[in-house]
Amino acid sequence: MICPLPSSGIPPDDLLDLIYHYKALLIRQLYLWYRGQEAIVDHLLHRFVLAGRIFRNSERVACNADWLSNGNPAYEMAFWALLDFRDSVEYQLPGNHGITISAFTENGEYDFVSVLPGHEKSTSDVVQAQREALGQRLVIVVQNPDQIPLITIHPVAAYCVVSPDGKTTYYTTAKEAAPCQPPTSAS
């Protein structure tokens, strides 16, 4: 006898909204966002797939099949950093005008900007032109520490280096070699 898994603890619309906001996220990221409730996440994802609301492969879930093959690297990188702030996040949404993700936390607003390799100058130009309109806590997310000196956005609360496996390391300045914890206030 198969018993349906109760979905208490995760409102189905919240999970669906998260997937729709970011178009494609890794299933591991959803597990971390709803940590301790992985079985419920799997159950809801299965139900959404059967209803035709989302698409899923072995590692990624998406609201559009076109996004499934390679996802959205900028959102994926920024979401790893956002997970570090998960316990204090009150509201989050994809950003505009160069901001990848905006998050409102108990410590104030954070803007996460993903800078893909080779896009340091163009992303810097777009974000710096809008810098005064952005929050004071700007976290620049990169794939490699070598990208940090190529970025010309100021001021920045921290740089977050995301490894291919999703591990995050924070630097408060481009010159500082020692990693720091996720910043709770602008420096």
Side-chain angles (χ1 to χ4, degrees):
M1 176 176 167
I2 298 175
C3 297
L5 184 66
S7 61
S8 62
I10 302 176
D13 287 344
D14 286 357
L15 178 58
L16 202 54
D17 284 348
L18 194 64
I19 296 166
Y20 280 10
H21 276 324
Y22 296 109
K23 309 296 186 216
L25 289 174
L26 294 174
I27 294 171
R28 288 184 301 141
Q29 292 175 319
L30 295 175
Y31 287 165
L32 290 169
W33 188 260
Y34 296 105
R35 66 178 164 253
Q37 301 180 71
E38 293 85 355
I40 295 170
V41 169
D42 276 338
H43 174 74
L44 289 173
L45 293 177
H46 178 72
R47 303 275 312 250
F48 293 150
V49 168
L50 289 177
R53 303 287 299 275
I54 62 169
F55 299 90
R56 175 181 181 175
N57 68 15
S58 61
E59 65 178 39
R60 187 172 278 114
V61 63
C63 67
N64 180 333
D66 295 338
W67 287 95
L68 203 52
S69 60
N70 61 357
N72 183 330
Y75 279 142
E76 195 174 294
M77 276 178 23
F79 201 83
W80 284 119
L82 180 66
L83 284 165
D84 291 335
F85 294 75
R86 173 63 183 108
D87 291 336
S88 66
V89 171
E90 296 170 1
Y91 182 73
Q92 47 70 37
L93 70 164
N96 294 315
H97 310 295
I99 301 303
T100 310
I101 299 176
S102 291
F104 300 92
T105 74
E106 58 194 28
N107 298 311
E109 180 181 353
Y110 283 88
D111 290 321
F112 297 87
V113 175
S114 290
V115 181
L116 298 174
H119 294 96
E120 295 83 4
K121 179 166 178 16
S122 59
T123 303
S124 293
D125 291 345
V126 169
V127 174
Q128 192 62 41
Q130 313 234 4
R131 188 62 187 97
E132 287 185 23
L134 303 177
Q136 291 302 308
R137 294 176 182 96
L138 186 62
V139 177
I140 306 298
V141 184
V142 296
Q143 290 181 349
N144 186 319
D146 296 339
Q147 291 178 261
I148 296 172
L150 305 175
I151 297 168
T152 59
I153 303 167
H154 302 287
V156 169
Y159 296 90
C160 176
V161 178
V162 179
S163 68
D165 65 353
K167 182 177 182 272
T168 55
T169 306
Y170 290 85
Y171 299 88
T172 54
T173 66
K175 297 176 187 137
E176 186 172 314
C180 70
Q181 292 298 314
T184 56
S185 62
S187 46

